[in-house]
Amino acid sequence: PLGLLAIGGPLIDDGHDVSLLDADVSDMTPDAIVEAVVAKAPDALLLGHNGSTSAHPTIVDLMKRLRPLLPETWFIYGGVFPTYHWSECLDEIPELDIIVRGEGEETTRRLMCAIEDDTPLEEIAGLAFRRAGLPHATPPAPMIRNLDDYRVGWELIDHARYSYYGGKRGVVVQFSRGCPHLCSYCGQRGYWTRWRHRDPKAFAAELGRLYREHVVTMISFADENPTTSKKVWRELLKEIIAQNCKFTMIATLRASDIVRDADILHLYRKAGFERFLIGMEHSDPETLAMVRKGSVTKDDREAIKLLR
């Protein structure tokens, strides 16, 4: 549950008592979730989900069940869906108190401090809440420029419970955020746009620590476009190789980037990349032009040939 772990790490570092309930990995029923949350009696309940639109009704159902049992708890909702649909969420879910819009690490830290100090929510960028009974949003929060300023709270999960591809102990990670391309179908264009990346050496060291301390061998990249910069990507591959870990890695990559990287594909393999998701939206040139991905069928063919 990378999104919630990314929020949890900075909150722990700020001194808050944080616990994570991952109802998905436990396949918990709504009744079991409610029982577990009420037993914690939290000051603030931060709700999020690994899906997006399709998972939203589950969040709504849980809030409706929990609100009568936790009348003094702050109900806070974050993620892609509520970022786009904050007004509708506040209109349709009376149990909901606050929405964190966009990147949540810094905004959530500021929000928790505001709740603790009784600071007006108007002073926190990146929120949505009700003002005079109507949905109201503060200005968007500034984009996080240095992703290394916020750590993932890996200690919130038991790694033994998370497996991937044949039982390998795995994690989902994010080296970079954003994408410079203009694909018409991509919801991330309105969520974060500028491409940013973590320090390759520090990121590789984190993967190495997960391998050595928790026997994590399967790494899935959640980046929209991790290979945006060949220079940075080459540096990351070399740093991962230097960790000398037996990883199996998977990433979503553009066919054109694979073709671009023909001369360093041996580094992909040596770092542990074995599975690739490559979006091939169509073979018709007019359709490809319409979706504005900037891809061509020739690159799709060449990428598969190179990977083989």
Side-chain angles (χ1 to χ4, degrees), residues 75-121:
F75 282 22
I76 301 163
Y77 188 17
V80 177
F81 184 87
T83 291
Y84 281 125
H85 300 287
W86 59 268
S87 183
E88 294 95 325
C89 288
L90 290 167
D91 263 339
E92 298 168 8
I93 314 170
E95 296 81 7
L96 174 60
D97 294 311
I98 303 169
I99 289 173
V100 173
R101 299 160 51 229
E103 293 176 293
E105 289 92 335
E106 181 62 27
T107 303
T108 307
R109 289 182 64 207
R110 293 172 183 263
L111 172 58
M112 291 299 105
C113 288
I115 289 174
E116 207 166 39
D117 300 337
D118 205 23
T119 301
L121 297 181

CSV table of all heavy atoms in Angstrom, one decimal, residues 75-121:
chain,number,residue,atom,x,y,z
A,75,PHE,N,-12.3,12.5,9.9
A,75,PHE,CA,-12.3,11.6,8.7
A,75,PHE,C,-11.7,12.3,7.5
A,75,PHE,O,-12.2,13.4,7.1
A,75,PHE,CB,-13.7,11.2,8.3
A,75,PHE,CG,-14.3,10.1,9.2
A,75,PHE,CD1,-13.8,9.9,10.5
A,75,PHE,CD2,-15.3,9.3,8.8
A,75,PHE,CE1,-14.4,8.9,11.4
A,75,PHE,CE2,-15.9,8.3,9.6
A,75,PHE,CZ,-15.4,8.1,10.9
A,76,ILE,N,-10.5,11.8,7.1
A,76,ILE,CA,-9.7,12.5,6.1
A,76,ILE,C,-9.5,11.5,4.9
A,76,ILE,O,-9.1,10.4,5.1
A,76,ILE,CB,-8.4,12.9,6.7
A,76,ILE,CG1,-8.6,13.9,7.8
A,76,ILE,CG2,-7.5,13.6,5.6
A,76,ILE,CD1,-7.4,14.1,8.7
A,77,TYR,N,-9.7,12.0,3.7
A,77,TYR,CA,-9.7,11.2,2.5
A,77,TYR,C,-8.7,11.7,1.5
A,77,TYR,O,-8.7,13.0,1.3
A,77,TYR,CB,-11.1,11.2,1.9
A,77,TYR,CG,-11.4,10.3,0.7
A,77,TYR,CD1,-10.6,9.2,0.4
A,77,TYR,CD2,-12.5,10.5,0.0
A,77,TYR,CE1,-10.9,8.3,-0.6
A,77,TYR,CE2,-12.9,9.6,-1.1
A,77,TYR,CZ,-12.0,8.5,-1.4
A,77,TYR,OH,-12.4,7.7,-2.4
A,78,GLY,N,-7.8,10.9,1.0
A,78,GLY,CA,-6.8,11.3,0.0
A,78,GLY,C,-6.7,10.4,-1.1
A,78,GLY,O,-7.1,9.2,-1.1
A,79,GLY,N,-6.0,10.8,-2.2
A,79,GLY,CA,-5.8,10.0,-3.3
A,79,GLY,C,-6.2,10.6,-4.6
A,79,GLY,O,-6.6,11.8,-4.7
A,80,VAL,N,-6.1,9.9,-5.7
A,80,VAL,CA,-6.4,10.4,-7.0
A,80,VAL,C,-7.9,10.8,-7.2
A,80,VAL,O,-8.2,11.9,-7.6
A,80,VAL,CB,-6.0,9.4,-8.1
A,80,VAL,CG1,-6.3,10.0,-9.5
A,80,VAL,CG2,-4.5,9.2,-8.1
A,81,PHE,N,-8.8,9.9,-6.8
A,81,PHE,CA,-10.2,10.2,-7.0
A,81,PHE,C,-10.7,11.4,-6.3
A,81,PHE,O,-11.3,12.3,-6.8
A,81,PHE,CB,-11.0,8.9,-6.7
A,81,PHE,CG,-12.5,9.1,-6.9
A,81,PHE,CD1,-13.0,8.8,-8.2
A,81,PHE,CD2,-13.3,9.6,-6.0
A,81,PHE,CE1,-14.4,9.0,-8.4
A,81,PHE,CE2,-14.7,9.8,-6.2
A,81,PHE,CZ,-15.2,9.5,-7.5
A,82,PRO,N,-10.4,11.5,-5.0
A,82,PRO,CA,-10.9,12.7,-4.2
A,82,PRO,C,-10.2,14.0,-4.7
A,82,PRO,O,-10.8,15.0,-4.5
A,82,PRO,CB,-10.7,12.3,-2.8
A,82,PRO,CG,-9.6,11.3,-2.8
A,82,PRO,CD,-9.9,10.5,-4.0
A,83,THR,N,-9.0,13.9,-5.2
A,83,THR,CA,-8.3,15.1,-5.7
A,83,THR,C,-9.1,15.6,-6.8
A,83,THR,O,-9.3,16.9,-6.9
A,83,THR,CB,-6.9,14.7,-6.1
A,83,THR,OG1,-6.1,14.4,-4.9
A,83,THR,CG2,-6.2,15.9,-6.8
A,84,TYR,N,-9.5,14.8,-7.8
A,84,TYR,CA,-10.3,15.3,-8.9
A,84,TYR,C,-11.7,15.6,-8.5
A,84,TYR,O,-12.3,16.6,-9.1
A,84,TYR,CB,-10.3,14.2,-10.0
A,84,TYR,CG,-9.1,14.1,-10.8
A,84,TYR,CD1,-8.4,12.8,-11.0
A,84,TYR,CD2,-8.6,15.2,-11.5
A,84,TYR,CE1,-7.3,12.7,-11.7
A,84,TYR,CE2,-7.4,15.0,-12.3
A,84,TYR,CZ,-6.8,13.8,-12.4
A,84,TYR,OH,-5.7,13.7,-13.2
A,85,HIS,N,-12.3,14.9,-7.6
A,85,HIS,CA,-13.7,15.0,-7.3
A,85,HIS,C,-14.0,15.5,-5.9
A,85,HIS,O,-15.0,15.0,-5.3
A,85,HIS,CB,-14.4,13.7,-7.6
A,85,HIS,CG,-14.3,13.2,-9.0
A,85,HIS,ND1,-14.9,13.8,-10.1
A,85,HIS,CD2,-13.5,12.2,-9.5
A,85,HIS,CE1,-14.6,13.1,-11.2
A,85,HIS,NE2,-13.7,12.2,-10.9
A,86,TRP,N,-13.2,16.4,-5.4
A,86,TRP,CA,-13.3,16.9,-4.0
A,86,TRP,C,-14.7,17.5,-3.8
A,86,TRP,O,-15.3,17.3,-2.7
A,86,TRP,CB,-12.2,17.9,-3.7
A,86,TRP,CG,-12.2,19.1,-4.5
A,86,TRP,CD1,-11.4,19.3,-5.7
A,86,TRP,CD2,-12.9,20.3,-4.3
A,86,TRP,NE1,-11.6,20.6,-6.2
A,86,TRP,CE2,-12.5,21.2,-5.3
A,86,TRP,CE3,-13.8,20.8,-3.3
A,86,TRP,CZ2,-13.0,22.5,-5.4
A,86,TRP,CZ3,-14.3,22.1,-3.4
A,86,TRP,CH2,-13.9,22.9,-4.5
A,87,SER,N,-15.2,18.3,-4.7
A,87,SER,CA,-16.5,19.0,-4.5
A,87,SER,C,-17.6,17.9,-4.4
A,87,SER,O,-18.5,18.0,-3.5
A,87,SER,CB,-16.8,20.0,-5.6
A,87,SER,OG,-18.0,20.7,-5.4
A,88,GLU,N,-17.7,17.0,-5.3
A,88,GLU,CA,-18.7,16.0,-5.3
A,88,GLU,C,-18.6,15.1,-4.0
A,88,GLU,O,-19.6,14.8,-3.5
A,88,GLU,CB,-18.6,15.1,-6.5
A,88,GLU,CG,-18.9,15.8,-7.9
A,88,GLU,CD,-17.6,16.2,-8.5
A,88,GLU,OE1,-16.7,16.7,-7.8
A,88,GLU,OE2,-17.5,16.2,-9.8
A,89,CYS,N,-17.4,14.8,-3.6
A,89,CYS,CA,-17.2,14.0,-2.4
A,89,CYS,C,-17.8,14.7,-1.2
A,89,CYS,O,-18.5,14.1,-0.4
A,89,CYS,CB,-15.8,13.7,-2.2
A,89,CYS,SG,-15.0,12.5,-3.4
A,90,LEU,N,-17.5,16.0,-1.1
A,90,LEU,CA,-18.0,16.7,0.1
A,90,LEU,C,-19.5,16.9,0.0
A,90,LEU,O,-20.2,17.0,1.1
A,90,LEU,CB,-17.3,18.1,0.2
A,90,LEU,CG,-15.8,18.0,0.6
A,90,LEU,CD1,-15.1,19.3,0.3
A,90,LEU,CD2,-15.7,17.6,2.1
A,91,ASP,N,-20.0,17.0,-1.2
A,91,ASP,CA,-21.5,17.1,-1.3
A,91,ASP,C,-22.2,15.9,-1.0
A,91,ASP,O,-23.3,15.9,-0.4
A,91,ASP,CB,-21.8,17.5,-2.8
A,91,ASP,CG,-22.0,19.0,-3.0
A,91,ASP,OD1,-22.3,19.7,-2.0
A,91,ASP,OD2,-21.9,19.4,-4.1
A,92,GLU,N,-21.6,14.7,-1.4
A,92,GLU,CA,-22.3,13.5,-1.3
A,92,GLU,C,-22.0,12.6,0.0
A,92,GLU,O,-22.6,11.6,0.2
A,92,GLU,CB,-22.0,12.6,-2.5
A,92,GLU,CG,-22.5,13.3,-3.8
A,92,GLU,CD,-21.9,12.7,-5.1
A,92,GLU,OE1,-21.2,11.6,-4.9
A,92,GLU,OE2,-22.1,13.2,-6.2
A,93,ILE,N,-20.9,13.0,0.7
A,93,ILE,CA,-20.5,12.2,1.9
A,93,ILE,C,-20.5,13.1,3.1
A,93,ILE,O,-19.5,13.7,3.5
A,93,ILE,CB,-19.1,11.6,1.7
A,93,ILE,CG1,-19.0,11.0,0.3
A,93,ILE,CG2,-18.9,10.5,2.8
A,93,ILE,CD1,-17.6,10.6,0.0
A,94,PRO,N,-21.6,13.3,3.8
A,94,PRO,CA,-21.7,14.1,5.0
A,94,PRO,C,-20.8,13.7,6.1
A,94,PRO,O,-20.4,14.5,6.9
A,94,PRO,CB,-23.2,14.1,5.4
A,94,PRO,CG,-23.7,12.8,4.8
A,94,PRO,CD,-23.0,12.6,3.5
A,95,GLU,N,-20.4,12.4,6.1
A,95,GLU,CA,-19.5,11.9,7.2
A,95,GLU,C,-18.1,12.4,7.0
A,95,GLU,O,-17.3,12.3,7.9
A,95,GLU,CB,-19.5,10.4,7.2
A,95,GLU,CG,-20.9,9.8,7.5
A,95,GLU,CD,-21.9,9.7,6.3
A,95,GLU,OE1,-21.4,10.1,5.2
A,95,GLU,OE2,-23.0,9.4,6.5
A,96,LEU,N,-17.7,12.8,5.8
A,96,LEU,CA,-16.3,13.2,5.5
A,96,LEU,C,-16.0,14.6,6.0
A,96,LEU,O,-16.8,15.5,5.8
A,96,LEU,CB,-16.1,13.1,4.0
A,96,LEU,CG,-14.8,13.6,3.4
A,96,LEU,CD1,-13.7,12.8,3.9
A,96,LEU,CD2,-14.9,13.6,1.8
A,97,ASP,N,-14.9,14.8,6.6
A,97,ASP,CA,-14.5,16.1,7.1
A,97,ASP,C,-13.5,16.9,6.1
A,97,ASP,O,-13.8,18.0,5.8
A,97,ASP,CB,-13.7,15.9,8.5
A,97,ASP,CG,-14.7,15.4,9.5
A,97,ASP,OD1,-15.8,16.0,9.7
A,97,ASP,OD2,-14.3,14.5,10.2
A,98,ILE,N,-12.4,16.2,5.7
A,98,ILE,CA,-11.4,16.9,5.0
A,98,ILE,C,-10.9,16.0,3.8
A,98,ILE,O,-10.7,14.8,4.0
A,98,ILE,CB,-10.2,17.3,5.9
A,98,ILE,CG1,-10.7,18.1,7.1
A,98,ILE,CG2,-9.1,18.0,5.1
A,98,ILE,CD1,-9.6,18.3,8.1
A,99,ILE,N,-10.5,16.6,2.7
A,99,ILE,CA,-9.9,15.9,1.6
A,99,ILE,C,-8.5,16.5,1.4
A,99,ILE,O,-8.3,17.8,1.4
A,99,ILE,CB,-10.7,16.1,0.3
A,99,ILE,CG1,-12.0,15.2,0.4
A,99,ILE,CG2,-9.9,15.7,-0.9
A,99,ILE,CD1,-12.9,15.4,-0.8
A,100,VAL,N,-7.5,15.7,1.3
A,100,VAL,CA,-6.1,16.1,0.9
A,100,VAL,C,-6.0,15.9,-0.6
A,100,VAL,O,-6.1,14.8,-1.1
A,100,VAL,CB,-5.1,15.3,1.7
A,100,VAL,CG1,-3.7,15.6,1.2
A,100,VAL,CG2,-5.2,15.5,3.2
A,101,ARG,N,-5.7,17.0,-1.2
A,101,ARG,CA,-5.7,17.1,-2.7
A,101,ARG,C,-4.2,17.0,-3.2
A,101,ARG,O,-3.3,17.7,-2.7
A,101,ARG,CB,-6.3,18.3,-3.2
A,101,ARG,CG,-7.8,18.4,-2.9
A,101,ARG,CD,-8.4,19.8,-3.0
A,101,ARG,NE,-8.1,20.4,-4.2
A,101,ARG,CZ,-7.6,21.6,-4.4
A,101,ARG,NH1,-7.3,22.4,-3.3
A,101,ARG,NH2,-7.3,22.1,-5.6
A,102,GLY,N,-3.9,16.2,-4.2
A,102,GLY,CA,-2.6,16.1,-4.8
A,102,GLY,C,-1.6,15.3,-3.9
A,102,GLY,O,-2.0,14.5,-3.1
A,103,GLU,N,-0.4,15.6,-4.1
A,103,GLU,CA,0.7,14.9,-3.3
A,103,GLU,C,0.4,15.2,-1.8
A,103,GLU,O,0.3,16.3,-1.4
A,103,GLU,CB,2.0,15.4,-3.7
A,103,GLU,CG,2.4,15.1,-5.1
A,103,GLU,CD,3.8,15.7,-5.5
A,103,GLU,OE1,3.8,16.9,-5.6
A,103,GLU,OE2,4.7,14.9,-5.7
A,104,GLY,N,0.4,14.1,-1.0
A,104,GLY,CA,-0.1,14.2,0.3
A,104,GLY,C,1.0,14.3,1.4
A,104,GLY,O,0.6,14.6,2.6
A,105,GLU,N,2.2,14.0,1.1
A,105,GLU,CA,3.2,13.9,2.2
A,105,GLU,C,3.3,15.2,3.1
A,105,GLU,O,3.1,15.2,4.3
A,105,GLU,CB,4.6,13.6,1.7
A,105,GLU,CG,4.8,12.2,1.1
A,105,GLU,CD,4.5,12.1,-0.4
A,105,GLU,OE1,3.7,13.0,-0.9
A,105,GLU,OE2,5.0,11.2,-1.0
A,106,GLU,N,3.5,16.3,2.5
A,106,GLU,CA,3.7,17.6,3.2
A,106,GLU,C,2.4,18.1,3.7
A,106,GLU,O,2.2,18.6,4.8
A,106,GLU,CB,4.4,18.6,2.4
A,106,GLU,CG,4.7,19.9,3.1
A,106,GLU,CD,5.6,19.8,4.3
A,106,GLU,OE1,6.4,18.9,4.4
A,106,GLU,OE2,5.4,20.7,5.2
A,107,THR,N,1.4,18.0,2.8
A,107,THR,CA,0.0,18.6,3.1
A,107,THR,C,-0.5,17.9,4.4
A,107,THR,O,-1.1,18.5,5.3
A,107,THR,CB,-0.9,18.4,2.0
A,107,THR,OG1,-0.4,19.1,0.8
A,107,THR,CG2,-2.3,19.0,2.3
A,108,THR,N,-0.4,16.5,4.4
A,108,THR,CA,-0.9,15.8,5.6
A,108,THR,C,-0.2,16.1,6.9
A,108,THR,O,-0.8,16.3,7.9
A,108,THR,CB,-0.8,14.3,5.3
A,108,THR,OG1,-1.5,14.0,4.1
A,108,THR,CG2,-1.5,13.5,6.4
A,109,ARG,N,1.1,16.3,6.8
A,109,ARG,CA,1.9,16.8,7.9
A,109,ARG,C,1.4,18.1,8.5
A,109,ARG,O,1.1,18.3,9.7
A,109,ARG,CB,3.4,17.0,7.5
A,109,ARG,CG,4.2,15.7,7.3
A,109,ARG,CD,5.6,16.0,7.0
A,109,ARG,NE,6.3,16.6,8.1
A,109,ARG,CZ,7.3,17.5,8.0
A,109,ARG,NH1,7.8,17.9,6.9
A,109,ARG,NH2,7.8,18.0,9.1
A,110,ARG,N,1.2,19.0,7.6
A,110,ARG,CA,0.7,20.4,8.0
A,110,ARG,C,-0.7,20.2,8.5
A,110,ARG,O,-1.1,20.9,9.5
A,110,ARG,CB,0.7,21.3,6.8
A,110,ARG,CG,2.1,21.7,6.3
A,110,ARG,CD,2.1,22.5,5.0
A,110,ARG,NE,3.4,22.8,4.5
A,110,ARG,CZ,4.1,23.9,4.8
A,110,ARG,NH1,3.5,24.9,5.4
A,110,ARG,NH2,5.3,24.1,4.3
A,111,LEU,N,-1.6,19.4,7.9
A,111,LEU,CA,-2.9,19.2,8.4
A,111,LEU,C,-2.9,18.6,9.8
A,111,LEU,O,-3.7,19.1,10.7
A,111,LEU,CB,-3.7,18.3,7.5
A,111,LEU,CG,-5.1,17.8,7.9
A,111,LEU,CD1,-6.0,19.0,8.2
A,111,LEU,CD2,-5.7,16.9,6.9
A,112,MET,N,-2.1,17.6,10.1
A,112,MET,CA,-2.1,17.1,11.4
A,112,MET,C,-1.6,18.1,12.5
A,112,MET,O,-2.2,18.1,13.6
A,112,MET,CB,-1.2,15.8,11.5
A,112,MET,CG,-1.7,14.6,10.7
A,112,MET,SD,-3.2,14.0,11.3
A,112,MET,CE,-4.3,14.6,10.0
A,113,CYS,N,-0.7,18.9,12.1
A,113,CYS,CA,-0.2,20.0,13.0
A,113,CYS,C,-1.4,21.0,13.3
A,113,CYS,O,-1.6,21.5,14.4
A,113,CYS,CB,1.0,20.7,12.5
A,113,CYS,SG,2.5,19.7,12.5
A,114,ALA,N,-2.1,21.3,12.2
A,114,ALA,CA,-3.2,22.3,12.3
A,114,ALA,C,-4.3,21.7,13.2
A,114,ALA,O,-4.8,22.5,14.1
A,114,ALA,CB,-3.8,22.6,10.9
A,115,ILE,N,-4.6,20.5,13.1
A,115,ILE,CA,-5.6,19.8,14.0
A,115,ILE,C,-5.2,19.9,15.4
A,115,ILE,O,-5.9,20.2,16.3
A,115,ILE,CB,-5.9,18.4,13.5
A,115,ILE,CG1,-6.7,18.5,12.2
A,115,ILE,CG2,-6.7,17.6,14.5
A,115,ILE,CD1,-6.9,17.1,11.5
A,116,GLU,N,-3.9,19.5,15.6
A,116,GLU,CA,-3.3,19.5,17.0
A,116,GLU,C,-3.3,20.9,17.6
A,116,GLU,O,-3.6,21.0,18.8
A,116,GLU,CB,-1.9,18.9,16.9
A,116,GLU,CG,-1.4,18.2,18.1
A,116,GLU,CD,-0.2,17.4,17.8
A,116,GLU,OE1,0.7,17.8,17.1
A,116,GLU,OE2,-0.1,16.3,18.4
A,117,ASP,N,-2.9,21.9,16.8
A,117,ASP,CA,-2.8,23.2,17.4
A,117,ASP,C,-4.0,24.1,17.2
A,117,ASP,O,-4.0,25.3,17.5
A,117,ASP,CB,-1.6,23.9,16.7
A,117,ASP,CG,-0.3,23.2,16.9
A,117,ASP,OD1,-0.2,22.5,17.8
A,117,ASP,OD2,0.6,23.4,16.0
A,118,ASP,N,-5.1,23.5,16.6
A,118,ASP,CA,-6.3,24.3,16.4
A,118,ASP,C,-6.1,25.5,15.4
A,118,ASP,O,-6.6,26.5,15.6
A,118,ASP,CB,-6.9,24.8,17.7
A,118,ASP,CG,-8.4,25.0,17.6
A,118,ASP,OD1,-9.0,24.4,16.7
A,118,ASP,OD2,-9.0,25.8,18.3
A,119,THR,N,-5.2,25.2,14.4
A,119,THR,CA,-5.0,26.3,13.4
A,119,THR,C,-6.1,26.2,12.3
A,119,THR,O,-6.5,25.1,11.9
A,119,THR,CB,-3.6,26.0,12.7
A,119,THR,OG1,-2.6,26.0,13.7
A,119,THR,CG2,-3.3,27.0,11.6
A,120,PRO,N,-6.5,27.4,11.8
A,120,PRO,CA,-7.6,27.4,10.8
A,120,PRO,C,-7.1,26.6,9.6
A,120,PRO,O,-6.0,26.7,9.1
A,120,PRO,CB,-7.7,28.8,10.5
A,120,PRO,CG,-7.3,29.6,11.7
A,120,PRO,CD,-6.2,28.7,12.3
A,121,LEU,N,-8.0,25.7,9.0
A,121,LEU,CA,-7.7,24.9,7.9
A,121,LEU,C,-7.4,25.8,6.6
A,121,LEU,O,-6.7,25.4,5.7
A,121,LEU,CB,-8.8,24.0,7.6
A,121,LEU,CG,-9.1,22.9,8.7
A,121,LEU,CD1,-10.2,22.0,8.2
A,121,LEU,CD2,-7.8,22.1,9.0
